[in-house]
């Protein structure tokens, strides 16, 4: 007896391509029950026996050669059990019990029994096959035993789409040969007679070895020999059948063909595994590429929006005032243009950015990827903070503009008042210096001197009356200086000139009075009547001039009440006119009396009153112009304020309609978002119809903007008829658009979650119903106790015991990672979808790469380009780090760290 363990102990047996040495195979027993015809069919077809002998012998030798031996006669060489045990060790990779030494029949039977026991230990039922028949060289039993071994170790593990071994092998052949003309694999006998199926299998996996288009269906021997020779030479598959035996047999042996075909399957199984692994990797990479594209889009959009905010805020914070109302009104118009044209698209961009961010996070959760963390400074919170700063600057800028316009309006009013008073004063002083310097008293008669003295006294009275006007002019100039009027230099220059002239007039008046008084003693007579007229006419004329100046004084009002107050004051002034008219009549009566006396005494007057330049015509002319112009100005301003009041009421009427409408829609959206009516698609359709109805309401807001612009152009700064401002309504409208868009996006994400995770509509409705039932306050979120009750209603064991509390804490860490104490519906749906579906993992991706790498710990660029589509291969090569292990080869890449990064690092 030869101890083949001792003879071959230097050889290390490994698992062959035919099996992995594992037990089991419940399906094998059934298959053997169907296929086992050895006991029922006592006579074996001679042609089939010949084919089986050749095929089974070649198959056995393909494994025995690994142990440095072979068989010549299958029913003779296995009789002592030694090579049979050796064959089982080679194909299983396991050690069998030590064979017995000796050449007696009992030793042979014991060795064969050890082999049969090992086969039985693998879950194989050996029907009517005993050790004695094998030892006696029973060909039928020996072939049956070898077929059993082939089934167990070469065919049993073949399964395609959960089919049985035989059906799986047949389905694999059908799929691989489907594209080839003249090939139709339906069985393991006549479908292979013309040899085209064997050639098609080789060409499908190694097209460079076969010129398939040159093969002819009517030349089966050539076809079979070509396939068998190529398989033996290039695929290490020994020739197991003769072409002539197959062609000359009406129905080739099924077991022989299956054995031969299984060798092709195992020869190409590595390629099949590589294809499966490549498909998994392609799927993972496609998801990652799409997510990276979405991340890049978010970063770009966020950068653009933040840059726009960064550029806009300094413009809104620029508080450098302009010199004129026109310049400030242009700034206000620029600001309105920004509100109407430039800001609305940015509001939409901000809303779309938040929607894109939520969609991206949902896709990352669905693909078992880490959450997306935008680069520093580009978080949604950063954008919201920047937006809040923008709106604060916007509000402050508008208030500043309106205050500046009011300030400049006040300045323009004061400046115009200064110019008016200065012009009146300058007109009065025109020629006064020349008159005071005139030395007419040197040649005058006594009466003329007295007249000059009286005239000078009247001038002094007039001069004193003008003192108030000069002081008013100086006070206005001082106020303009304090308010930083842009033309203060010219105002100060003119005011200084008036003051200097006034001082000079005072000095000249004093000098002239001294000169007239010096010569007064030389004059006796003066016309007392003219003197009395002059004394009364001068102050009356000055009163009329002051009254006219007051009546011509500019006024500024903002309300109908203010103009009515001015009209009332004017009416009060007109009530004093009868007394003034009586004074006017008395003064005119003095003049008439002087005329009467002169006429009655035939006195020829030399001309006008020598004591005054105020004639009755002047008094009457000024008296006639005293009131009507002021009446017209007040009535015009009253009409303007009535128009402003109409604008206020018009805006208030529209605002009081739009404001409650926006509030109502906000409440309705909140109610819709927590209700469950119909499918998610129904809800989405309903929300989009609701969104269209909101967008259709936009003309009402546009009308309000137009009315608001009219109010601002009219410089109306308050409105007691409404509590709504245009700013409040704009913010409410933007919030309404953002809220409906976010609600639509939440439903779209729920649909995305449902479809990606395979959640049925009934499950989604059950989740929503459970969530709404425990959301008592309809706030869209559940507290811990509410969430626990919801879980219990869905069948989760989270009762108040140690195990239940631990499970509940685990679930809370998933749905509320930030420990906010609230569970949103989206987080609830994400959790339920993860509980009910499977996703790919980093370990699965690593295993797939390992298959492509041929079981190495690294992979090369050439292998990636050979196994993956070009774009995904280059994607991996660009992102894989060099492999640093001790077994690294040139150009080795680390696929393990890359696969882990897909699931564990957020910066990939």
């Amino acid at each position: 007896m030869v101890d083949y363990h001792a003879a071959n102990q230097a050889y290390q047996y490994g698992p062959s391509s035919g099996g992995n040495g594992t037990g089991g195979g419940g399906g094998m027993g059934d298959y053997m029950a169907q296929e086992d015809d050895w006991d029922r069919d006592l006579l074996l077809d001679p042609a089939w026996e010949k084919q089986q002998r050749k095929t089974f012998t070649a198959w056995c030798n393909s494994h025995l050669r690994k142990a440095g031996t072979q068989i010549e006669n299958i029913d003779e060489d296995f009789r002592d059990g030694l090579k049979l045990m050796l064959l089982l060790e080679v194909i299983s990779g396991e050690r069998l019990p030590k064979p017995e030494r000796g050449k007696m029949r009992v030793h042979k039977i014991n060795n064969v029994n050890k082999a049969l026991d090992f086969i039985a230990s693998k879950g194989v039922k050996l029907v009517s096959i005993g050790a004695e028949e094998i030892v006696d060289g029973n060909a039928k039993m020996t072939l049956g035993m070898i077929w059993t071994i082939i089934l167990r170790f070469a065919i049993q593990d073949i399964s395609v789409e959960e089919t049985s071994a035989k059906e799986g092998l047949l389905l694999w052949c059908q799929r691989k040969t489907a594209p080839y003309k003249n090939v139709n694999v339906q069985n393991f006998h006549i479908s292979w007679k013309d040899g085209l199926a064997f050639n098609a299998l080789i060409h499908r996996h190694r097209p460079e070895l076969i010129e398939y288009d040159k093969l002819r269906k009517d030349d089966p021997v050539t076809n079979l020999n070509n396939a068998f020779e190529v398989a033996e030479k290039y695929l290490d598959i020994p020739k197991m059948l003769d072409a002539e035996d197959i062609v000359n047999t009406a129905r080739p042996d099924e077991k022989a063909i299956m054995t031969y075909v299984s060798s092709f399957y195992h020869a190409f199984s590595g390629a099949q595994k590589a294809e499966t692994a490549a498909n998994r990797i392609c799927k993972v990479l496609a998801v990652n590429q799409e997510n990276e594209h979405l991340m890049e889009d978010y970063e770009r959009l966020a950068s653009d929006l933040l840059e726009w905010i960064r550029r806009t805020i300094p413009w809104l914070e620029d508080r450098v005032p302009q010199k004129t109302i026109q310049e400030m009104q242009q700034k206000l118009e620029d600001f309105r243009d920004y509100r109407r044209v430039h800001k609305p698209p940015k509001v939409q961009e901000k809303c779309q950015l938040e929607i894109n961010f939520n969609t991206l996070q949902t896709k990352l959760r669905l693909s078992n990827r880490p959450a997306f963390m935008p680069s520093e400074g580009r978080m949604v919170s950063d954008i919201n903070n920047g937006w809040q700063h923008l709106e604060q600057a916007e509000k402050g800028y508008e208030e500043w503009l309106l205050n500046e316009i009011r300030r400049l309006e006040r300045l323009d009013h004061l400046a115009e008042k200064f110019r008016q008073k200065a012009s009146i004063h300058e007109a009065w002083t025109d020629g006064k210096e020349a008159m005071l310097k005139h030395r007419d008293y040197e040649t005058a008669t006594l009466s003329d001197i007295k007249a000059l003295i009286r005239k000078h006294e009247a001038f002094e009275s007039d001069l004193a009356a003008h003192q108030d006007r000069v002081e008013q002019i100086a006070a206005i100039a001082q106020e303009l200086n304090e308010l930083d009027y842009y033309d203060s230099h010219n105002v100060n220059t003119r005011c200084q000139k008036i003051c200097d002239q006034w001082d000079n007039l005072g000095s000249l008046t004093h000098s002239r009075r001294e000169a007239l008084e010096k010569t007064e003693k030389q004059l006796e007579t003066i016309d007392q009547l003219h003197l009395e007229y002059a004394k009364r006419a001068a102050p009356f004329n000055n009163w009329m001039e002051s009254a006219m100046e007051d009546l011509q004084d500019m006024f500024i009002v903002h309300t109908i009440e203010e103009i009515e107050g001015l009209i009332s004051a004017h009416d009060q002034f007109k009530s004093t006119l009868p007394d003034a008219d009586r004074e006017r009549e008395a003064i005119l009566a003095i003049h008439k009396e002087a005329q009467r006396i002169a006429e009655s005494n035939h006195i020829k007057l030399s001309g006008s009153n020598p004591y005054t330049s105020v004639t009755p015509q002047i008094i009457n002319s000024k008296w006639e112009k005293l009131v009507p112009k002021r009446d017209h100005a007040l009535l015009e301003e009253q009409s303007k304020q009535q128009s402003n009041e109409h604008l206020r009421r018009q805006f208030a009427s529209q605002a009081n309609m739009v404001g409650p409408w926006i509030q109502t829609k906000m409440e309705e959206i909140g109610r819709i978002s927590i209700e469950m009516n119909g499918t998610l698609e129904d809800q989405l359709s309903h929300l989009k119809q609701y969104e269209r109805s909101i967008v259709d309401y936009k003309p009402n807001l546009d009308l309000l903007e137009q009315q608001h612009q009219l109010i601002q152009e009219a410089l109306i700064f308050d409105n007691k008829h409404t509590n709504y401002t245009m700013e409040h309504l704009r913010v409410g409208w933007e919030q309404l658009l953002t809220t409906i868009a976010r609600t639509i996006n939440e439903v779209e994400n729920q649909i995305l979650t449902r479809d990606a995770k395979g959640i049925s509509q009934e499950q989604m409705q059950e989740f929503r119903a459970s969530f709404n039932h425990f959301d008592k306050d309809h706030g869209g979120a559940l507290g811990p106790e509410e969430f626990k009750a919801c879980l219990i209603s869905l069948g989760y064991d989270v009762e108040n015991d140690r195990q239940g509390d631990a499970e509940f804490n685990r679930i809370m860490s998933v749905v509320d990672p930030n420990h906010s104490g609230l569970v949103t519906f989206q987080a609830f749906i994400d959790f339920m979808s993860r509980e009910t579906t499977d996703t790919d993992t980093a370990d699965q991706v690593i295993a797939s790469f390992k298959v492509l790498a041929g079981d190495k710990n690294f992979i090369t660029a050439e292998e990636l380009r050979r196994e993956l589509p070009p774009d995904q291969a280059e994607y991996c090569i660009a992102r894989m780090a060099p492999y640093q292990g001790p077994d690294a080869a040139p150009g080795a890449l680390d696929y393990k760290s890359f696969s882990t990064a897909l699931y564990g690092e957020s910066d990939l």
Side-chain angles (χ1 to χ4, degrees):
M1 174 66 69
V2 178
D3 185 350
Y4 65 80
H5 288 287
N8 296 287
Q9 66 181 29
Y11 181 78
Q12 297 296 322
Y13 303 130
S16 71
S17 61
N20 57 10
T22 58
M28 185 62 189
D30 296 337
Y31 180 73
M32 285 300 298
Q34 298 170 6
E35 292 295 324
D36 185 18
D37 57 0
W38 303 100
D39 291 333
R40 295 191 300 271
D41 185 8
L42 299 179
L43 295 176
L44 185 64
D45 184 281
W48 287 3
E49 180 178 353
K50 179 182 178 182
Q51 291 175 16
Q52 288 182 12
R53 279 179 177 275
K54 184 174 182 62
T55 302
F56 292 178
T57 300
W59 184 85
C60 291
N61 284 335
S62 69
H63 295 288
L64 286 173
R65 66 183 179 183
K66 298 174 185 177
T69 187
Q70 63 178 10
I71 62 172
E72 298 294 338
N73 190 326
I74 195 167
D75 50 0
E76 290 292 333
D77 293 348
F78 285 139
R79 291 178 63 182
D80 60 4
L82 293 177
K83 288 189 177 181
L84 178 60
M85 295 178 69
L86 181 59
L87 174 65
L88 291 172
E89 286 194 349
V90 171
I91 63 177
S92 69
E94 301 180 26
R95 283 288 189 180
L96 272 68
K98 186 176 181 181
E100 295 186 8
R101 299 180 181 275
K103 297 182 179 181
M104 297 178 64
R105 178 178 174 84
V106 66
H107 297 142
K108 296 178 180 180
I109 290 175
N110 288 339
N111 287 336
V112 173
N113 274 327
K114 290 178 181 179
L116 296 178
D117 290 342
F118 178 78
I119 297 172
S121 71
K122 298 303 179 183
V124 179
K125 295 171 64 177
L126 296 170
V127 181
S128 303
I129 298 177
E132 290 80 1
E133 288 84 352
I134 304 301
V135 173
D136 290 339
N138 186 315
K140 178 177 179 295
M141 293 301 175
T142 301
L143 291 175
M145 176 189 67
I146 297 302
W147 172 242
T148 300
I149 294 172
I150 292 172
L151 279 176
R152 173 58 184 85
F153 293 100
I155 298 177
Q156 178 184 335
D157 292 334
I158 299 175
S159 177
V160 178
E161 295 185 356
E162 301 180 357
T163 60
S164 68
K166 179 180 178 180
E167 292 171 347
L169 183 59
L170 183 63
L171 180 58
W172 178 80
C173 294
Q174 290 171 339
R175 287 185 175 179
K176 296 301 181 181
T177 61
Y180 293 88
K181 62 181 180 179
N182 298 326
V183 178
N184 183 17
V185 177
Q186 297 297 326
N187 49 56
F188 286 108
H189 36 81
I190 60 175
S191 295
W192 302 83
K193 283 190 67 174
D194 58 13
L196 291 178
F198 284 107
N199 282 277
L201 281 180
I202 298 173
H203 185 270
R204 179 64 182 271
H205 295 91
R206 296 288 300 276
E208 75 279 5
L209 300 180
I210 297 289
E211 293 182 299
Y212 186 83
D213 292 337
K214 294 184 178 180
L215 300 177
R216 302 199 323 270
K217 187 174 180 64
D218 59 359
D219 191 4
V221 174
T222 300
N223 296 341
L224 289 167
N225 284 331
N226 181 65
F228 295 164
E229 290 169 4
V230 169
E232 187 169 36
K233 182 176 180 180
Y234 296 103
L235 304 179
D236 198 26
I237 299 175
K239 186 176 181 181
M240 299 184 182
L241 289 171
D242 290 327
E244 291 75 12
D245 293 339
I246 297 176
V247 174
N248 296 329
T249 304
R251 185 175 184 270
D253 180 63
E254 186 177 52
K255 297 178 178 60
I257 297 296
M258 282 184 65
T259 302
Y260 210 161
V261 171
S262 70
S263 297
F264 283 86
Y265 173 84
H266 292 297
F268 297 130
S269 62
Q272 183 71 23
K273 292 179 181 177
E275 181 180 345
T276 302
N279 288 338
R280 176 182 290 276
I281 291 171
C282 288
K283 176 184 176 183
V284 172
L285 295 180
V287 171
N288 217 61
Q289 286 174 306
E290 180 185 0
N291 290 342
E292 284 189 0
H293 178 69
L294 291 175
M295 293 176 191
E296 291 169 359
D297 283 349
Y298 174 88
E299 293 283 346
R300 176 178 56 77
L301 290 175
S303 297
D304 292 347
L305 185 57
L306 287 170
E307 174 61 20
W308 179 81
I309 293 174
R310 185 191 66 77
R311 287 187 285 102
T312 304
I313 287 177
W315 174 67
L316 293 172
E317 290 180 343
D318 180 14
R319 301 293 193 272
V320 178
Q322 300 299 311
K323 294 181 178 180
T324 66
I325 288 182
Q326 291 75 18
E327 291 173 317
M328 289 304 297
Q329 285 176 335
Q330 182 58 49
K331 275 183 170 289
L332 182 61
E333 186 59 33
D334 292 341
F335 179 72
R336 290 171 181 156
D337 189 63
Y338 153 81
R339 273 274 181 76
R340 292 191 303 265
V341 179
H342 300 291
K343 185 183 178 186
K346 299 302 177 183
V347 173
Q348 295 177 0
E349 287 180 17
K350 176 176 176 290
C351 178
Q352 189 61 45
L353 192 67
E354 293 178 359
I355 290 173
N356 291 351
F357 180 83
N358 293 334
T359 301
L360 173 58
Q361 298 294 34
T362 299
K363 288 188 174 184
L364 290 173
R365 286 194 302 271
L366 294 178
S367 58
N368 201 25
R369 303 299 195 276
F372 168 56
M373 290 294 292
S375 57
E376 185 176 357
R378 293 185 178 88
M379 300 284 290
V380 173
S381 59
D382 296 321
I383 294 172
N384 289 335
N385 290 337
W387 192 265
Q388 185 178 7
H389 187 188
L390 174 76
E391 292 188 331
Q392 290 174 349
E394 185 177 296
K395 180 180 180 182
Y397 187 68
E398 185 176 31
E399 292 175 353
W400 173 76
L401 283 174
L402 296 177
N403 288 334
E404 274 300 303
I405 289 175
R406 284 194 287 266
R407 184 182 71 83
L408 290 175
E409 183 186 41
R410 167 72 176 160
L411 282 176
D412 279 1
H413 169 69
L414 288 175
E416 182 61 28
K417 187 173 183 179
F418 172 82
R419 287 190 288 270
Q420 187 182 72
K421 288 184 177 293
S423 296
I424 292 173
H425 178 76
E426 288 167 347
W428 179 83
T429 59
D430 184 38
K432 294 296 189 292
E433 289 185 0
M435 182 269 291
L436 291 173
K437 291 179 180 179
H438 193 208
R439 304 178 68 86
D440 55 344
Y441 54 84
E442 292 179 351
T443 59
T445 64
L446 180 61
S447 59
D448 292 333
I449 290 297
K450 286 187 177 292
L452 289 175
I453 290 175
R454 301 297 181 269
K455 183 178 180 180
H456 188 71
E457 289 175 349
F459 172 76
E460 285 182 325
S461 177
D462 198 10
L463 183 69
H466 278 78
Q467 178 70 32
D468 289 339
R469 182 183 295 117
V470 173
E471 292 176 354
Q472 289 176 8
I473 290 172
I476 293 172
Q478 178 63 28
E479 188 173 1
L480 287 172
N481 281 315
E482 292 173 353
L483 293 175
D484 194 23
Y485 182 55
Y486 78 96
D487 199 23
S488 293
H489 174 72
N490 290 332
V491 169
N492 292 336
T493 300
R494 190 173 184 181
C495 181
Q496 187 62 45
K497 181 178 178 182
I498 289 173
C499 291
D500 291 344
Q501 186 185 43
W502 183 258
D503 292 339
N504 190 37
L505 284 176
S507 176
L508 291 174
T509 299
H510 180 70
S511 298
R512 184 173 176 81
R513 182 175 180 81
E514 287 181 346
L516 289 173
E517 288 177 349
K518 183 178 180 181
T519 60
E520 185 180 10
K521 294 179 182 180
Q522 301 172 8
L523 303 175
E524 278 184 8
T525 290
I526 192 150
D527 190 346
Q528 293 295 325
L529 195 58
H530 279 184
L531 179 60
E532 183 181 359
Y533 172 88
K535 287 183 178 180
R536 295 183 68 174
F540 184 76
N541 181 64
N542 188 61
W543 172 84
M544 284 196 300
E545 287 184 346
S546 296
M548 290 179 67
E549 183 177 339
D550 289 340
L551 292 174
Q552 293 173 1
D553 192 10
M554 296 180 64
F555 55 83
I556 179 171
V557 295
H558 294 98
T559 65
I560 191 70
E561 291 79 9
E562 291 177 357
I563 188 61
E564 289 176 350
L566 288 178
I567 291 174
S568 175
H570 184 58
D571 291 340
Q572 186 176 0
F573 165 76
K574 288 194 292 185
S575 67
T576 64
L577 290 181
D579 291 340
D581 190 42
R582 285 190 288 274
E583 175 66 12
R584 180 181 68 85
E585 293 292 342
I587 293 172
L588 294 177
I590 292 173
H591 177 72
K592 290 178 181 179
E593 180 65 16
Q595 293 286 355
R596 187 189 64 78
I597 293 174
E599 291 175 358
S600 63
N601 292 286
H602 305 285
I603 298 173
K604 186 178 181 181
L605 297 176
S606 58
S608 61
N609 193 323
Y611 303 117
T612 180
S613 59
V614 180
T615 66
Q617 293 77 13
I618 291 174
I619 292 175
N620 287 333
S621 174
K622 290 182 179 180
W623 179 261
E624 292 172 356
K625 297 178 181 179
L626 193 60
V627 175
K629 188 174 182 180
R630 183 68 168 186
D631 286 342
H632 176 73
L634 290 173
L635 290 175
E636 188 178 61
E637 182 63 28
Q638 185 182 36
S639 176
K640 174 185 174 182
Q641 291 303 323
Q642 288 173 344
S643 174
N644 289 352
E645 183 67 11
H646 172 71
L647 290 176
R648 288 188 183 95
R649 293 181 181 276
Q650 180 178 264
F651 175 84
S653 175
Q654 183 74 2
N656 290 337
M657 175 185 70
V658 173
W661 184 89
I662 291 176
Q663 180 63 33
T664 299
K665 294 302 177 184
M666 287 291 289
E667 294 172 356
E668 290 177 356
I669 293 172
R671 185 170 62 254
I672 291 172
S673 66
I674 64 173
E675 291 178 350
M676 181 183 65
N677 295 321
T679 65
L680 290 177
E681 285 76 7
D682 293 338
Q683 295 176 38
L684 182 61
S685 175
H686 179 57
L687 284 171
K688 289 187 175 180
Q689 291 177 357
Y690 206 79
E691 183 182 38
R692 285 193 293 273
S693 70
I694 291 174
V695 173
D696 291 342
Y697 196 77
K698 181 65 163 57
N700 292 281
L701 200 73
D702 295 338
L703 176 60
L704 203 59
E705 287 282 7
Q706 295 172 6
Q707 295 171 350
H708 178 65
Q709 182 169 345
L710 293 176
I711 283 179
Q712 287 196 328
E713 289 172 353
L715 299 178
I716 300 172
F717 304 110
D718 58 352
N719 194 340
K720 65 182 180 180
H721 304 297
T722 181
N723 293 326
Y724 294 102
T725 67
M726 196 65 235
E727 178 64 27
H728 292 154
L729 294 174
R730 287 192 198 106
V731 171
W733 177 257
E734 292 170 0
Q735 288 177 346
L736 179 62
L737 292 178
T738 301
T739 300
I740 186 65
R742 285 175 177 165
T743 305
I744 289 173
N745 180 245
E746 288 176 359
V747 177
E748 290 174 337
N749 284 342
Q750 291 175 23
I751 293 174
L752 184 63
T753 300
R754 181 199 66 191
D755 294 342
K757 297 298 186 178
I759 299 175
S760 66
Q761 182 65 36
E762 291 72 17
Q763 285 178 305
M764 186 64 76
Q765 290 179 340
E766 181 185 359
F767 295 157
R768 169 55 85 178
S770 298
F771 188 90
N772 286 349
H773 177 76
F774 293 100
D775 184 14
K776 302 300 184 183
D777 60 354
H778 304 296
L782 301 181
E785 293 303 319
E786 292 174 329
F787 182 56
K788 177 181 284 190
C790 181
L791 290 175
I792 293 172
S793 73
L794 292 173
Y796 282 81
D797 186 9
V798 290
E799 295 291 348
N800 292 325
D801 54 32
R802 180 177 298 178
Q803 183 176 356
D805 290 343
E807 175 65 9
F808 180 69
N809 291 334
R810 178 192 72 81
I811 295 174
M812 281 299 293
S813 68
V814 174
V815 298
D816 184 23
N818 297 325
H819 305 293
S820 64
L822 293 175
V823 180
T824 65
F825 182 67
Q826 186 61 45
F828 174 67
I829 287 297
D830 288 343
F831 167 74
M832 296 305 299
S833 65
R834 283 196 297 272
E835 291 289 301
T836 57
T837 59
D838 295 326
T839 58
D840 55 87
T841 65
D843 290 341
Q844 291 174 329
V845 175
I846 291 172
S848 297
F849 272 116
K850 191 168 186 178
V851 171
L852 297 187
D855 210 32
K856 301 190 299 294
N857 290 324
F858 59 85
I859 195 167
T860 65
E862 291 72 17
E863 290 170 331
L864 287 171
R865 291 190 177 103
R866 184 176 67 243
E867 301 292 348
L868 299 180
D871 59 331
Q872 295 184 334
E874 298 305 323
Y875 177 84
C876 291
I877 293 170
R879 286 163 173 75
M880 282 187 182
Y883 178 68
Q884 304 294 338
D887 55 339
L893 300 174
D894 187 354
Y895 62 77
K896 291 184 179 179
S897 60
F898 171 74
S899 301
T900 303
L902 289 178
Y903 294 86
E905 297 178 7
S906 60
D907 60 346
L908 182 61

